[in-house]
Amino acid sequence: MITALAAAKAYANSGAMSVGSIGSIGGSQDKGVDFGDLLKSAMDGATKASKVAEHKIAAQVAGKAELIDVVTAISSAEASLETVMSIRDQVISAYQEIMRMPI
């Protein structure tokens, strides 16, 4: 199974990956945002949301947090994880489609 990070690195290494400052696909790597970095930041955000939810749960167990804060943190973590999983699925699908293309 190919991971999303491996698919993103393979696409970035193909030399066709760069997002310009206004969101258009460009040809030079120096003025764009790296797609791998974009995926990494999405993963970091999901990890951070999960850790915040864990801390809120621990605070609730200790009696130092409101239940609504815990539910909100868990909901946020769940939404960010679903977003990352959706991105992963799309990257894998795109990679598989590229691999099916005739040369």
Side-chain angles (χ1 to χ4, degrees):
M1 176 96 184
I2 298 172
T3 65
L5 185 56
K9 283 183 179 179
Y11 186 69
N13 288 337
S14 71
M17 191 63 221
S18 177
V19 179
S21 61
I22 58 172
S24 62
I25 302 294
S28 67
Q29 291 284 347
D30 56 11
K31 65 179 181 177
V33 176
D34 188 24
F35 186 67
D37 291 339
L38 184 66
L39 288 178
K40 184 172 177 7
S41 69
M43 282 296 300
D44 290 342
T47 302
K48 182 178 177 183
S50 176
K51 288 182 181 183
V52 167
E54 288 176 12
H55 289 295
K56 292 284 186 180
I57 291 169
Q60 172 63 27
V61 169
K64 298 179 181 179
E66 295 293 323
L67 184 59
I68 190 67
D69 295 334
V70 174
V71 172
T72 303
I74 291 172
S75 178
S76 174
E78 183 180 16
S80 63
L81 181 62
E82 286 177 1
T83 301
V84 169
M85 289 173 51
S86 177
I87 291 170
R88 178 206 61 189
D89 293 344
Q90 290 295 321
V91 167
I92 290 172
S93 175
Y95 178 78
Q96 290 172 342
E97 185 68 28
I98 289 169
M99 294 309 291
R100 284 193 292 266
M101 289 181 175
I103 295 177

